[in-house]
Amino acid sequence: MTATIQPTVHTTIQEAVERYCAQRLLQAGPEVVVVGNPYRRTIGLEDLADRDFARPVTEADFLSQRHLVVSRILCTAYESSMILLPEGSLGPVKADFDAFYGEQARRLRDAIWPDLERCSFGFLREAAATPDVRTLDDLRAWFMAEVDAVGAPADGSGNNPEVTAAPLRGTMLAITQCRHAEEAAALYLFQLGLDALTEASAMARNLGGSYGPEQSALFKIFVDEFGYGVHSAKHSTIFRGLLRSIGLHPDVHAYWNFYLTSSLAGTSYFNHVSENHAGMFRYMGAVTYLEWLFAQGFADMGAMLRTVFGDRVDTRYCDEHAHIDVHHGRMTFEHLLLGFARTHGDAVIPDLVRGVEETKVLMRLGDEDFLAQIRWADNLDTHTTPGGAADGGSPSILRPGSPFVTRVYDEDTLLSVHDGEVDVYGWATQRPHRLGRGDALLVPRGRLHGLKAASASATVSARPAVSPAR
């Protein structure tokens, strides 16, 4: 008997993405914040005109709506291979659990995963520097120069058991200078929580197999992150305590709508170079660089949080990292970065270096994105023109129960309210910015925002701004 051969169905990446995004769990609901359900996450494909997912993102369009959609999908795809359960009972969302981990979702994911990775991360090869680092001595000297250049103390290698906060600068200072500093600090914590609430999950992808003493060194760090098996000491548990102390929801992805493109891409990068083990040496370089920077960074973050929230904030998460990451910096430098270089030499040094350089690019883009977001969201009133509503664009009608979706524009855009009232969310807040009939709001390219009707209905349109303002 001759077996029947089924014809091959050729599906474009665009069609495959549309099928993936059509899943019920990825459709928007009316909630601004989603509590108790880590499986629901809005993608926003319906707002996307450019659906060429085969074309890699460039640094110039890193903050485009296309990359936001791709980054949301990749985050969801990576996390479908992790175990996520709500803090409360699974019972009310068991159907969503089954759908999130179901066979159909896996098949749809696997049809798009590699293409979207190329789309999101392909630009890094050109964007990252390629320093001429060839030997163990070169690597040691180059790395120390790199961390020194960003102000991470040389004693992060372990000579000093503690790190203290430096005078606030950069992003930490900018947060404290916002008029709505608590909202700005909360937005920063949401970006951190994208990884912190599932802390070390990317690292866990690198623990299996057999690759020598470096594997044991990485496992020691992993065990630290998990509180040596004591749940109350687990770093993600301590982070939840930080969120609770200032009245924020500790649920995984409660603030999904407010993850910036750069935060999603940065977190996905570590899953990208961990899920595909061809990227393991890039991961080892990247994690060494971050662990060295973390001690000072978390000390500074704790100081920022105390400045903004006073005594009510629980900064144990920052304090723990400021302490333990001194040791993690030493361990990753000596036993991962230099350890792999000693054992494998020229075969791996270029990838170790590349992991650091790619992480530097993503960190720079992340800082720029976050700073631009808080500067805009903190001053929505100055970007609003009463009576400045303009004709043009396609009007849409919003009602209080309409789906809530955050998005960005690829060019400076003027939002006009023609009827009713609309609340604008540039960050998660109990005090959204209210636009009334005839008002116009300038939304710079790349700025994340969501709209919610504040009246029985509201009519809103968007068109390119005549006079770009950045």
Side-chain angles (χ1 to χ4, degrees), residues 29 110 199 205 221 239 295 305 308 321 409 455:
D110 292 346
E199 191 149 9
R205 300 181 192 273
I221 297 171
F239 185 75
L305 291 173
V308 172
H321 276 282
Y409 294 118
S455 54

Side-chain angles (χ1 to χ4, degrees), residues 143-160 162-163 292-293 296 326 329-330 333-334:
F143 183 84
M144 294 308 300
E146 288 295 323
V147 295
D148 181 66
V150 292
D155 55 20
S157 61
N159 297 327
N160 181 7
E162 299 292 342
V163 172
W292 196 290
L293 269 55
Q296 188 64 60
V326 171
R330 180 189 71 244
F333 178 66
E334 291 291 343

Side-chain angles (χ1 to χ4, degrees), residues 90-262:
L90 179 63
V93 295
K94 179 58 163 58
D96 290 350
F97 170 90
D98 293 339
F100 187 76
Y101 293 114
E103 181 179 350
Q104 181 186 19
R106 293 200 308 274
R107 287 179 181 272
L108 292 170
R109 175 200 69 188
D110 292 346
I112 62 175
W113 193 334
D115 290 291
L116 295 190
E117 287 184 318
R118 284 189 291 273
C119 179
S120 183
F121 305 119
F123 83 101
L124 286 172
R125 187 172 291 276
E126 292 185 2
T130 54
D132 186 20
V133 178
R134 299 177 182 274
T135 69
L136 180 66
D137 289 340
D138 288 345
L139 182 63
R140 180 185 286 107
W142 169 80
F143 183 84
M144 294 308 300
E146 288 295 323
V147 295
D148 181 66
V150 292
D155 55 20
S157 61
N159 297 327
N160 181 7
E162 299 292 342
V163 172
T164 57
L168 292 178
R169 57 179 181 166
T171 300
M172 297 299 102
L173 178 61
I175 291 171
T176 65
Q177 293 175 334
C178 284
R179 294 186 299 166
H180 307 95
E182 292 194 4
E183 280 87 347
L187 185 69
Y188 184 83
L189 291 176
F190 302 159
Q191 313 313 305
L192 185 63
L194 179 57
D195 174 71
L197 289 170
T198 58
E199 191 149 9
S201 291
M203 185 181 292
R205 300 181 192 273
N206 294 289
L207 296 178
S210 175
Y211 55 89
E214 296 84 7
Q215 185 178 21
S216 298
L218 187 65
F219 185 72
K220 289 179 183 178
I221 297 171
F222 180 82
V223 169
D224 282 345
E225 303 286 2
F226 271 68
Y228 277 82
V230 178
H231 184 68
S232 60
K234 188 171 181 276
H235 287 180
S236 60
T237 304
I238 302 173
F239 185 75
R240 284 184 165 89
L242 191 167
L243 297 177
R244 287 191 179 97
S245 72
I246 52 178
L248 300 176
H249 295 289
D251 306 67
V252 172
H253 299 325
Y255 300 99
W256 172 267
N257 286 316
F258 298 97
Y259 293 146
L260 300 177
T261 307
S262 59

